Short mmCIF file of all heavy atoms in Angstrom, two decimals:
data_model
loop_
_atom_site.label_atom_id
_atom_site.label_comp_id
_atom_site.label_asym_id
_atom_site.label_seq_id
_atom_site.Cartn_x
_atom_site.Cartn_y
_atom_site.Cartn_z
N MET A 1 -21.20 24.39 -19.44
CA MET A 1 -20.45 23.19 -19.08
C MET A 1 -19.05 23.53 -18.58
O MET A 1 -18.59 22.95 -17.64
CB MET A 1 -20.32 22.27 -20.30
CG MET A 1 -21.52 21.42 -20.48
SD MET A 1 -21.33 20.00 -19.42
CE MET A 1 -22.51 18.92 -20.10
N ALA A 2 -18.37 24.47 -19.24
CA ALA A 2 -17.00 24.79 -18.87
C ALA A 2 -16.92 25.54 -17.55
O ALA A 2 -15.89 25.59 -16.91
CB ALA A 2 -16.34 25.62 -19.98
N ASP A 3 -18.05 26.16 -17.14
CA ASP A 3 -18.07 26.90 -15.88
C ASP A 3 -18.05 25.97 -14.68
O ASP A 3 -17.58 26.35 -13.62
CB ASP A 3 -19.32 27.79 -15.81
CG ASP A 3 -19.28 28.88 -16.89
OD1 ASP A 3 -18.17 29.17 -17.38
OD2 ASP A 3 -20.34 29.42 -17.21
N LYS A 4 -18.58 24.77 -14.85
CA LYS A 4 -18.61 23.80 -13.74
C LYS A 4 -17.22 23.28 -13.44
O LYS A 4 -16.47 22.95 -14.35
CB LYS A 4 -19.51 22.61 -14.10
CG LYS A 4 -20.88 22.69 -13.49
CD LYS A 4 -21.49 21.33 -13.44
CE LYS A 4 -22.38 21.13 -14.65
NZ LYS A 4 -23.07 19.88 -14.63
N GLU A 5 -16.90 23.21 -12.16
CA GLU A 5 -15.61 22.65 -11.76
C GLU A 5 -15.73 21.13 -11.70
O GLU A 5 -16.62 20.62 -11.03
CB GLU A 5 -15.21 23.20 -10.39
CG GLU A 5 -13.82 23.77 -10.36
CD GLU A 5 -13.44 24.27 -8.98
OE1 GLU A 5 -13.73 25.41 -8.67
OE2 GLU A 5 -12.86 23.47 -8.23
N GLU A 6 -14.84 20.43 -12.41
CA GLU A 6 -14.90 18.97 -12.40
C GLU A 6 -14.26 18.44 -11.13
O GLU A 6 -13.26 18.95 -10.67
CB GLU A 6 -14.16 18.40 -13.61
CG GLU A 6 -14.90 18.61 -14.90
CD GLU A 6 -14.26 17.84 -16.03
OE1 GLU A 6 -13.72 16.75 -15.78
OE2 GLU A 6 -14.29 18.35 -17.15
N ARG A 7 -14.87 17.39 -10.58
CA ARG A 7 -14.33 16.76 -9.38
C ARG A 7 -13.18 15.84 -9.79
O ARG A 7 -13.30 15.05 -10.72
CB ARG A 7 -15.43 15.95 -8.69
CG ARG A 7 -15.09 15.54 -7.28
CD ARG A 7 -16.29 14.93 -6.59
NE ARG A 7 -16.66 13.65 -7.17
CZ ARG A 7 -16.03 12.50 -6.92
NH1 ARG A 7 -15.00 12.48 -6.11
NH2 ARG A 7 -16.43 11.38 -7.47
N VAL A 8 -12.04 15.97 -9.08
CA VAL A 8 -10.88 15.14 -9.40
C VAL A 8 -11.10 13.75 -8.82
O VAL A 8 -11.44 13.62 -7.65
CB VAL A 8 -9.59 15.77 -8.82
CG1 VAL A 8 -8.39 14.90 -9.11
CG2 VAL A 8 -9.39 17.17 -9.35
N PRO A 9 -10.95 12.70 -9.64
CA PRO A 9 -11.16 11.34 -9.13
C PRO A 9 -10.18 11.00 -8.00
O PRO A 9 -9.06 11.51 -7.95
CB PRO A 9 -10.88 10.46 -10.35
CG PRO A 9 -11.04 11.35 -11.53
CD PRO A 9 -10.67 12.72 -11.06
N VAL A 10 -10.62 10.14 -7.09
CA VAL A 10 -9.82 9.77 -5.92
C VAL A 10 -8.51 9.11 -6.35
O VAL A 10 -7.45 9.41 -5.81
CB VAL A 10 -10.64 8.84 -5.00
CG1 VAL A 10 -9.79 8.36 -3.84
CG2 VAL A 10 -11.88 9.56 -4.49
N MET A 11 -8.57 8.21 -7.33
CA MET A 11 -7.36 7.50 -7.76
C MET A 11 -6.34 8.48 -8.33
O MET A 11 -5.14 8.31 -8.13
CB MET A 11 -7.73 6.43 -8.78
CG MET A 11 -6.68 5.39 -8.96
SD MET A 11 -6.40 4.52 -7.41
CE MET A 11 -4.88 3.72 -7.75
N GLN A 12 -6.80 9.51 -9.03
CA GLN A 12 -5.88 10.51 -9.57
C GLN A 12 -5.24 11.31 -8.44
O GLN A 12 -4.05 11.64 -8.50
CB GLN A 12 -6.60 11.44 -10.53
CG GLN A 12 -5.67 12.46 -11.18
CD GLN A 12 -6.37 13.34 -12.18
OE1 GLN A 12 -7.50 13.08 -12.57
NE2 GLN A 12 -5.71 14.41 -12.60
N GLN A 13 -6.00 11.61 -7.39
CA GLN A 13 -5.43 12.32 -6.24
C GLN A 13 -4.35 11.48 -5.57
O GLN A 13 -3.31 12.00 -5.16
CB GLN A 13 -6.52 12.65 -5.23
CG GLN A 13 -7.48 13.72 -5.69
CD GLN A 13 -8.59 13.96 -4.69
OE1 GLN A 13 -8.79 13.19 -3.75
NE2 GLN A 13 -9.32 15.04 -4.89
N VAL A 14 -4.58 10.16 -5.46
CA VAL A 14 -3.58 9.27 -4.86
C VAL A 14 -2.32 9.23 -5.71
O VAL A 14 -1.21 9.35 -5.20
CB VAL A 14 -4.17 7.85 -4.68
CG1 VAL A 14 -3.08 6.86 -4.28
CG2 VAL A 14 -5.28 7.87 -3.64
N LEU A 15 -2.49 9.07 -7.02
CA LEU A 15 -1.33 8.94 -7.91
C LEU A 15 -0.59 10.25 -8.10
O LEU A 15 0.57 10.25 -8.50
CB LEU A 15 -1.78 8.38 -9.27
CG LEU A 15 -2.28 6.94 -9.23
CD1 LEU A 15 -2.82 6.53 -10.59
CD2 LEU A 15 -1.19 6.00 -8.80
N ASP A 16 -1.23 11.38 -7.81
CA ASP A 16 -0.58 12.68 -7.94
C ASP A 16 0.18 13.08 -6.68
O ASP A 16 0.86 14.10 -6.67
CB ASP A 16 -1.61 13.77 -8.26
CG ASP A 16 -2.05 13.74 -9.71
OD1 ASP A 16 -1.35 13.11 -10.52
OD2 ASP A 16 -3.10 14.35 -10.02
N ASN A 17 0.06 12.29 -5.60
CA ASN A 17 0.70 12.64 -4.33
C ASN A 17 1.96 11.79 -4.15
O ASN A 17 1.87 10.62 -3.79
CB ASN A 17 -0.29 12.39 -3.19
CG ASN A 17 0.22 12.88 -1.87
OD1 ASN A 17 1.42 13.13 -1.72
ND2 ASN A 17 -0.67 13.02 -0.91
N PRO A 18 3.15 12.38 -4.40
CA PRO A 18 4.38 11.57 -4.32
C PRO A 18 4.67 11.04 -2.92
O PRO A 18 5.23 9.97 -2.77
CB PRO A 18 5.47 12.51 -4.81
CG PRO A 18 4.91 13.88 -4.64
CD PRO A 18 3.43 13.77 -4.77
N PHE A 19 4.32 11.81 -1.89
CA PHE A 19 4.61 11.35 -0.53
C PHE A 19 3.73 10.18 -0.14
O PHE A 19 4.17 9.25 0.54
CB PHE A 19 4.45 12.50 0.47
CG PHE A 19 5.47 13.57 0.28
CD1 PHE A 19 5.11 14.80 -0.24
CD2 PHE A 19 6.81 13.34 0.57
CE1 PHE A 19 6.05 15.79 -0.43
CE2 PHE A 19 7.76 14.33 0.37
CZ PHE A 19 7.38 15.56 -0.13
N LEU A 20 2.48 10.19 -0.59
CA LEU A 20 1.59 9.06 -0.33
C LEU A 20 2.08 7.82 -1.08
O LEU A 20 2.08 6.71 -0.53
CB LEU A 20 0.16 9.39 -0.74
CG LEU A 20 -0.87 8.30 -0.50
CD1 LEU A 20 -0.93 7.92 0.98
CD2 LEU A 20 -2.24 8.74 -0.98
N LEU A 21 2.54 8.00 -2.31
CA LEU A 21 3.08 6.88 -3.08
C LEU A 21 4.33 6.32 -2.41
O LEU A 21 4.52 5.10 -2.36
CB LEU A 21 3.40 7.31 -4.51
CG LEU A 21 2.21 7.56 -5.43
CD1 LEU A 21 2.69 8.07 -6.77
CD2 LEU A 21 1.37 6.31 -5.58
N LEU A 22 5.19 7.20 -1.91
CA LEU A 22 6.39 6.75 -1.20
C LEU A 22 6.01 5.97 0.04
O LEU A 22 6.56 4.89 0.31
CB LEU A 22 7.26 7.96 -0.83
CG LEU A 22 8.50 7.67 0.00
CD1 LEU A 22 9.48 6.84 -0.82
CD2 LEU A 22 9.15 8.96 0.45
N PHE A 23 5.06 6.50 0.81
CA PHE A 23 4.60 5.82 2.03
C PHE A 23 4.03 4.44 1.70
O PHE A 23 4.39 3.44 2.33
CB PHE A 23 3.56 6.68 2.75
CG PHE A 23 2.94 6.02 3.94
CD1 PHE A 23 3.65 5.90 5.12
CD2 PHE A 23 1.66 5.50 3.87
CE1 PHE A 23 3.09 5.28 6.22
CE2 PHE A 23 1.09 4.88 4.96
CZ PHE A 23 1.81 4.77 6.15
N LEU A 24 3.17 4.37 0.70
CA LEU A 24 2.57 3.10 0.32
C LEU A 24 3.61 2.13 -0.24
O LEU A 24 3.55 0.93 0.03
CB LEU A 24 1.46 3.32 -0.72
CG LEU A 24 0.21 4.04 -0.21
CD1 LEU A 24 -0.75 4.28 -1.36
CD2 LEU A 24 -0.46 3.28 0.91
N GLY A 25 4.58 2.66 -0.99
CA GLY A 25 5.61 1.83 -1.59
C GLY A 25 6.55 1.23 -0.57
O GLY A 25 7.21 0.23 -0.83
N ILE A 26 6.68 1.85 0.58
CA ILE A 26 7.52 1.31 1.65
C ILE A 26 6.69 0.46 2.60
O ILE A 26 7.13 -0.61 3.04
CB ILE A 26 8.23 2.45 2.41
CG1 ILE A 26 9.25 3.12 1.48
CG2 ILE A 26 8.89 1.95 3.68
CD1 ILE A 26 9.89 4.36 2.06
N THR A 27 5.49 0.92 2.94
CA THR A 27 4.67 0.25 3.95
C THR A 27 4.12 -1.09 3.47
O THR A 27 4.21 -2.08 4.20
CB THR A 27 3.50 1.16 4.36
OG1 THR A 27 4.04 2.41 4.81
CG2 THR A 27 2.68 0.53 5.45
N ILE A 28 3.55 -1.13 2.28
CA ILE A 28 2.89 -2.36 1.81
C ILE A 28 3.89 -3.51 1.67
O ILE A 28 3.64 -4.60 2.20
CB ILE A 28 2.11 -2.10 0.51
CG1 ILE A 28 0.92 -1.20 0.81
CG2 ILE A 28 1.65 -3.40 -0.13
CD1 ILE A 28 0.14 -0.76 -0.41
N PRO A 29 5.05 -3.33 1.01
CA PRO A 29 6.00 -4.45 0.95
C PRO A 29 6.52 -4.85 2.33
O PRO A 29 6.75 -6.04 2.59
CB PRO A 29 7.14 -3.92 0.08
CG PRO A 29 6.53 -2.83 -0.73
CD PRO A 29 5.49 -2.22 0.13
N THR A 30 6.73 -3.88 3.22
CA THR A 30 7.22 -4.20 4.57
C THR A 30 6.21 -5.05 5.32
O THR A 30 6.57 -6.06 5.94
CB THR A 30 7.50 -2.90 5.35
OG1 THR A 30 8.47 -2.14 4.64
CG2 THR A 30 8.01 -3.21 6.74
N VAL A 31 4.96 -4.66 5.28
CA VAL A 31 3.91 -5.42 5.98
C VAL A 31 3.79 -6.82 5.39
O VAL A 31 3.71 -7.81 6.14
CB VAL A 31 2.56 -4.67 5.91
CG1 VAL A 31 1.42 -5.55 6.38
CG2 VAL A 31 2.63 -3.39 6.74
N LEU A 32 3.80 -6.93 4.06
CA LEU A 32 3.69 -8.25 3.43
C LEU A 32 4.89 -9.13 3.78
O LEU A 32 4.75 -10.33 4.03
CB LEU A 32 3.55 -8.10 1.91
CG LEU A 32 2.24 -7.49 1.44
CD1 LEU A 32 2.26 -7.30 -0.07
CD2 LEU A 32 1.06 -8.32 1.87
N TYR A 33 6.10 -8.53 3.81
CA TYR A 33 7.30 -9.29 4.11
C TYR A 33 7.28 -9.78 5.56
O TYR A 33 7.65 -10.92 5.84
CB TYR A 33 8.53 -8.41 3.86
CG TYR A 33 9.83 -9.16 3.87
CD1 TYR A 33 10.15 -10.04 2.86
CD2 TYR A 33 10.74 -8.97 4.90
CE1 TYR A 33 11.35 -10.72 2.86
CE2 TYR A 33 11.94 -9.65 4.92
CZ TYR A 33 12.24 -10.53 3.90
OH TYR A 33 13.42 -11.20 3.92
N VAL A 34 6.83 -8.93 6.48
CA VAL A 34 6.74 -9.32 7.89
C VAL A 34 5.70 -10.44 8.05
O VAL A 34 5.95 -11.42 8.75
CB VAL A 34 6.39 -8.10 8.76
CG1 VAL A 34 5.97 -8.53 10.16
CG2 VAL A 34 7.57 -7.15 8.83
N LEU A 35 4.55 -10.30 7.40
CA LEU A 35 3.53 -11.35 7.48
C LEU A 35 4.05 -12.67 6.90
O LEU A 35 3.79 -13.74 7.45
CB LEU A 35 2.26 -10.92 6.76
CG LEU A 35 1.45 -9.83 7.45
CD1 LEU A 35 0.28 -9.41 6.57
CD2 LEU A 35 0.96 -10.30 8.80
N TRP A 36 4.75 -12.59 5.79
CA TRP A 36 5.33 -13.77 5.17
C TRP A 36 6.32 -14.43 6.14
O TRP A 36 6.33 -15.65 6.31
CB TRP A 36 6.01 -13.37 3.87
CG TRP A 36 6.60 -14.50 3.06
CD1 TRP A 36 6.36 -15.83 3.21
CD2 TRP A 36 7.53 -14.38 1.99
NE1 TRP A 36 7.08 -16.54 2.27
CE2 TRP A 36 7.81 -15.67 1.52
CE3 TRP A 36 8.15 -13.29 1.37
CZ2 TRP A 36 8.68 -15.90 0.47
CZ3 TRP A 36 9.01 -13.52 0.32
CH2 TRP A 36 9.27 -14.81 -0.11
N GLY A 37 7.16 -13.64 6.79
CA GLY A 37 8.12 -14.17 7.75
C GLY A 37 7.44 -14.83 8.93
O GLY A 37 7.86 -15.90 9.40
N VAL A 38 6.38 -14.22 9.44
CA VAL A 38 5.64 -14.81 10.56
C VAL A 38 5.02 -16.13 10.15
O VAL A 38 5.04 -17.11 10.92
CB VAL A 38 4.56 -13.82 11.07
CG1 VAL A 38 3.60 -14.49 12.03
CG2 VAL A 38 5.22 -12.61 11.72
N MET A 39 4.47 -16.18 8.94
CA MET A 39 3.87 -17.44 8.46
C MET A 39 4.94 -18.51 8.31
O MET A 39 4.70 -19.68 8.63
CB MET A 39 3.16 -17.22 7.12
CG MET A 39 1.87 -16.47 7.25
SD MET A 39 1.12 -15.94 5.69
CE MET A 39 1.47 -17.25 4.60
N GLU A 40 6.13 -18.15 7.83
CA GLU A 40 7.21 -19.13 7.68
C GLU A 40 7.67 -19.64 9.04
O GLU A 40 7.91 -20.84 9.20
CB GLU A 40 8.39 -18.49 6.93
CG GLU A 40 8.13 -18.27 5.46
CD GLU A 40 8.04 -19.58 4.68
OE1 GLU A 40 8.78 -20.53 5.01
OE2 GLU A 40 7.20 -19.64 3.76
N ILE A 41 7.81 -18.76 10.01
CA ILE A 41 8.23 -19.17 11.35
C ILE A 41 7.17 -20.06 11.98
O ILE A 41 7.49 -21.03 12.66
CB ILE A 41 8.52 -17.93 12.21
CG1 ILE A 41 9.78 -17.25 11.71
CG2 ILE A 41 8.67 -18.32 13.68
CD1 ILE A 41 10.07 -15.91 12.36
N ALA A 42 5.90 -19.75 11.74
CA ALA A 42 4.81 -20.55 12.32
C ALA A 42 4.77 -21.96 11.71
O ALA A 42 4.27 -22.89 12.35
CB ALA A 42 3.47 -19.85 12.10
N ASN A 43 5.31 -22.12 10.50
CA ASN A 43 5.28 -23.43 9.83
C ASN A 43 6.47 -24.31 10.19
O ASN A 43 6.51 -25.48 9.76
CB ASN A 43 5.24 -23.24 8.30
CG ASN A 43 3.86 -22.87 7.84
OD1 ASN A 43 2.86 -23.22 8.45
ND2 ASN A 43 3.80 -22.12 6.76
N ILE A 44 7.42 -23.80 10.95
CA ILE A 44 8.58 -24.60 11.35
C ILE A 44 8.12 -25.62 12.39
O ILE A 44 7.51 -25.25 13.39
CB ILE A 44 9.70 -23.72 11.93
CG1 ILE A 44 10.24 -22.79 10.85
CG2 ILE A 44 10.81 -24.59 12.51
CD1 ILE A 44 11.27 -21.81 11.37
N PRO A 45 8.37 -26.91 12.16
CA PRO A 45 7.92 -27.91 13.13
C PRO A 45 8.69 -27.80 14.45
O PRO A 45 9.85 -27.40 14.47
CB PRO A 45 8.23 -29.25 12.45
CG PRO A 45 9.15 -28.94 11.33
CD PRO A 45 9.02 -27.50 11.00
N VAL A 46 8.01 -28.12 15.53
CA VAL A 46 8.62 -28.04 16.86
C VAL A 46 9.50 -29.27 17.07
O VAL A 46 9.09 -30.40 16.81
CB VAL A 46 7.50 -27.98 17.93
CG1 VAL A 46 8.13 -27.93 19.32
CG2 VAL A 46 6.59 -26.80 17.70
N ALA A 47 10.72 -29.04 17.54
CA ALA A 47 11.65 -30.15 17.81
C ALA A 47 11.26 -30.85 19.10
O ALA A 47 10.81 -30.24 20.06
CB ALA A 47 13.06 -29.62 17.91
N HIS A 48 11.46 -32.18 19.13
CA HIS A 48 11.11 -32.95 20.34
C HIS A 48 12.31 -33.34 21.10
O HIS A 48 13.34 -33.64 20.68
CB HIS A 48 10.31 -34.21 19.95
CG HIS A 48 8.94 -33.86 19.48
ND1 HIS A 48 8.63 -33.78 18.13
CD2 HIS A 48 7.81 -33.54 20.13
CE1 HIS A 48 7.36 -33.47 18.00
NE2 HIS A 48 6.85 -33.29 19.22
#
């Protein structure tokens, strides 16, 4: 059993990569904030 190499889970690989976490931590809030802003602008009524 100890001779077999265990496969590292995907989630552990993601959480062990600081640069990927940094990228995700900047990208996801930015994308959500931009989408939120677009939705807010789209909801502004048109002036007559």
Side-chain angles (χ1 to χ4, degrees):
M1 277 276 197
D3 295 339
K4 260 201 264 184
E5 231 181 273
E6 288 189 33
R7 195 171 68 78
V8 178
V10 176
M11 198 61 195
Q12 183 177 348
Q13 289 177 347
V14 170
L15 293 174
D16 283 343
N17 187 343
F19 294 109
L20 181 59
L21 288 176
L22 176 66
F23 175 75
L24 292 176
I26 292 173
T27 304
I28 291 175
T30 301
V31 169
L32 292 176
Y33 192 70
V34 167
L35 288 175
W36 183 15
V38 169
M39 286 170 37
E40 287 292 323
I41 290 172
N43 282 332
I44 295 175
V46 179
H48 290 98

